[in-house]
Every structure is written in structure tokens, then in C-alpha cells.
């Protein structure tokens, strides 16, 4: 059952989401060739705690770290280690935080140094598909409408859409109803109502949609070893329309990127 949130709860969830957004923005300045993932993981933990929150992933289901750190062919749920980033890498950083009893859950795939053009295109298309999906998160639509928008756009570009891992409802629990797959048919699945809050997160592979798991029990990789991209936003349904709770703007400010991609999904200007 979808756990409908009140207006007050949605604003508390915005605080949780922005803890994660600020953390990803802080990391954006540090993600470069030679950076040590474990060091960045510790920085993220400390930064989250400084904001009056606690890491949402650390210890959950026995996960050992604050960040899901997934470079190159790793799709999601990678464990930070001591292998330094290299020029040309990409890395999905998925981060969670709990504040005021609510979860924030937010991800971005970063470029490390000079990245191949075909990889840049994968990241661009995946992020574009996220916003196409968010646009379909509106009153009267269903889970399948969001899923179809993401699937069609990415598959039209020749990419593989991961089936086994999905987005989800969000609230006092990290994973709530409804499940939000990135593939599906229009008009299918649960219907959205005002007060629904979800994490929409396309996970898109350059090659096959098929995946495999490492023996660590966490890390998911593409079956063909080609790169994978992952972007995630927290979104509430307010007055029939999608309202972004998270933002990439802290990342963009750190990287000197100008973007208005989020503007249509905000009822009021975001104050950083």
C-alpha cells in the first residue's frame, strides 16, 4: 500500500533529500583521478552527521559503508575500496541520509577526467530519461507510464534497461510501495495519488541489460563488462504534479555547470 505523505511530512522529506544533495555536491569537488573511494566514503559520513542526519545506507541490511560506489561496469551497490579513480572512469555514487525520521536517497554518475564520447552519451541519455520519467509522475498516471517513458527513450538509443533493480516509494522506510521499475507498459501498475513520494532511478547499460553479482553479495555489474549509468531523484506528487525534493544543483555549482533542467519540477525557487 502506498504510504501517502502530508504536506508537512513532504517538507521534512525535502530536508532529508537535500542532506544527500549537499553531500553529493561536496563529493563532486573531490571526485577526480587519484581519489581514494574509502576516504571519500568517510568524508561523506562525517558531512551527513554534521548536517544533523545519519547515513541511511550504513549498516542497513548489513551494508558496510555510507556510499554505494559503483564505477564503470558496476551498476549499483558497489562497496568503496582503496582502488583510486583513474582518468576516463565514471562512477555512480548513491547516497542515503535519515533526518527527522525520513529517508533521502539520491544518486549521480560522475565523469572522472576525460571520458570517452560514447560514455558521455550514455550518461546524457540516462539523465534525460530520468526527467522524462519524472514528467509522467502525475495525478491519474500509473507506475507503468513512468516506466514506459524511461524504457522507450533509452532503448531507442540502443541501451539496455536493467530489470532486476528498480526505484521505489520513500518515507520513514527506505523502500516503500510502489516499486518503480524502469521498464513497463503505459496504464499498468499502481495509480499515483497526491502525497505519493518516490525515488525514480534509471539504471541503464551501454550494452546488454543483463547483470551479474560479485561474491561480496552486493556489487552488481553488467554481464558484458560495458559501462552503466545511474541517476536518481526523490520526487513528491503535490497538487497533481511532480515536485522535486532532491537537486543536482550542488553538483553543478561545484563543477561549473549551468542547467535549468529541474525548473519545471519546482513550485518555488530552490534556495541553496
Amino acid at each position: 500500500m502506498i504510504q501517502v505523505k502530508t504536506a508537512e511530512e513532504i517538507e521534512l522529506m525535502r530536508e532529508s533529500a537535500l542532506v544527500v544533495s549537499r553531500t553529493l555536491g561536496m563529493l563532486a569537488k573531490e571526485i577526480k583521478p587519484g581519489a581514494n573511494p574509502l576516504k571519500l566514503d568517510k568524508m561523506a559520513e562525517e558531512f551527513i552527521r554534521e548536517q544533523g542526519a545519519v547515513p541511511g545506507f550504513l549498516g542497513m541490511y548489513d551494508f558496510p559503508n555510507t556510499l554505494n560506489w559503483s564505477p564503470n561496469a558496476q551498476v549499483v551497490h558497489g562497496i568503496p575500496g582503496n582502488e583510486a579513480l583513474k582518468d576516463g572512469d565514471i562512477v555512480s555514487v548513491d547516497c542515503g541520509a535519515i533526518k527527522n525520521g525520513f529517508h533521502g536517497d539520491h544518486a549521480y554518475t560522475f565523469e572522472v577526467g576525460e571520458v570517452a564520447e560514447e560514455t558521455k552519451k550514455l550518461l546524457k541519455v540516462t539523465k534525460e530519461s530520468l526527467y522524462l520519467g519524472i514528467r509522467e509522475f502525475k495525478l491519474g498516471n500509473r507506475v507503468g507510464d513512468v516506466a514506459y517513458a524511461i524504457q522507450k527513450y533509452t532503448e531507442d538509443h540502443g541501451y539496455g534497461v536493467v530489470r532486476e533493480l528498480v526505484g521505489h516509494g520513500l518515507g520513514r522506510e527506505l523502500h516503500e510501495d510502489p516499486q518503480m521499475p524502469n521498464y513497463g507498459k503505459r496504464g499498468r501498475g499502481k495509480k499515483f495519488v497526491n502525497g505519493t513520494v518516490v525515488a525514480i532511478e534509471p539504471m541503464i547499460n551501454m550494452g546488454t541489460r543483463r547483470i551479474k553479482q560479485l561474491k561480496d553479495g552486493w556489487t552488481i555489474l553488467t554481464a558484458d563488462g560495458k559501462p552503466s549509468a545511474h541517476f536518481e531523484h526523490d520526487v513528491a506528487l503535490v497538487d497533481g504534479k511532480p515536485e522535486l525534493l532532491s537537486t543536482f544543483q550542488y553538483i553543478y555549482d561545484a563543477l561549473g555547470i549551468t542547467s535549468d533542467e529541474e525548473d519545471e519540477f519546482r513550485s518555488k525557487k530552490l534556495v541553496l
Side-chain angles (χ1 to χ4, degrees), residues 37-175:
L38 269 180
K39 179 181 176 183
L40 298 188
D41 184 78
K42 188 62 178 175
M43 288 175 63
E45 178 184 352
E46 292 172 354
F47 191 73
I48 289 168
R49 295 187 188 282
E50 287 169 1
Q51 295 178 77
V54 296
F57 298 167
L58 182 62
M60 181 166 286
Y61 313 125
D62 294 325
F63 188 74
N65 294 87
T66 293
L67 302 174
N68 286 177
W69 181 273
S70 308
N72 302 318
Q74 293 185 19
V75 181
V76 286
H77 301 166
I79 298 174
N82 282 310
E83 185 175 349
L85 290 172
K86 303 185 299 297
D87 187 65
D89 283 346
I90 59 171
V91 58
S92 163
V93 183
D94 192 355
C95 182
I98 307 169
K99 188 173 184 179
N100 301 315
F102 288 96
H103 285 263
D105 177 17
H106 185 26
Y108 191 89
T109 301
F110 293 90
E111 299 178 17
V112 183
E114 292 298 320
V115 172
E117 285 302 318
E118 64 174 357
T119 306
K120 286 178 180 283
K121 181 182 176 184
L122 171 68
L123 270 57
K124 178 176 182 290
V125 169
T126 302
K127 183 152 67 71
E128 288 170 348
S129 79
L130 169 61
Y131 291 110
L132 289 173
I134 292 171
R135 201 168 287 135
E136 296 300 317
F137 180 60
K138 56 189 178 183
L139 195 64
N141 270 10
R142 295 178 180 270
V143 166
D145 296 303
V146 174
Y148 176 83
I150 293 170
Q151 180 182 13
K152 185 176 190 315
Y153 189 69
T154 53
E155 287 186 348
D156 282 353
H157 283 84
Y159 298 138
V161 180
V162 173
R163 303 292 203 271
E164 295 86 350
L165 302 152
V166 299
H168 49 90
L170 191 67
R172 292 190 181 277
E173 301 294 330
L174 177 61
H175 298 116

